[in-house]
Amino acid sequence: MDKLTVMNEINEVLDTYCEGCFVKRQQAKDLGKTGAHQFCIQTCTIGEQLQFLGNEMNKLTK
């Protein structure tokens, strides 16, 4: 996998699942922006996928 492929996958995931996400929007209302961000990182399966892709990107830059 090259960096461009990983970046394209990250953008595709964000555009497909995160843009306009009702859960994130509701979490932001209830818990604030930081709480919504923590929810996405720790609980959301899409957040897990983004973390995986981010780790792949880090491997490529080393």
Side-chain angles (χ1 to χ4, degrees):
M1 226 183 235
D2 64 339
K3 289 192 316 186
L4 184 59
T5 303
V6 174
M7 284 300 298
N8 285 336
E9 284 189 37
I10 290 171
N11 287 333
E12 184 177 329
V13 168
L14 288 172
D15 290 343
T16 303
Y17 298 105
C18 299
E19 190 69 33
C21 176
F22 172 76
V23 176
K24 182 179 178 183
R25 190 172 40 226
Q26 189 62 43
Q27 291 289 331
K29 285 180 184 177
D30 295 342
L31 305 173
K33 188 175 180 180
T34 304
H37 182 73
Q38 287 300 314
F39 170 81
C40 292
I41 292 171
Q42 296 173 352
T43 308
C44 183
T45 56
I46 303 304
E48 292 174 10
Q49 185 177 4
L50 288 170
Q51 284 182 27
F52 171 77
L53 291 170
N55 289 334
E56 292 297 310
M57 180 66 79
N58 285 335
K59 290 177 189 175
L60 293 172
T61 58
K62 291 182 180 179

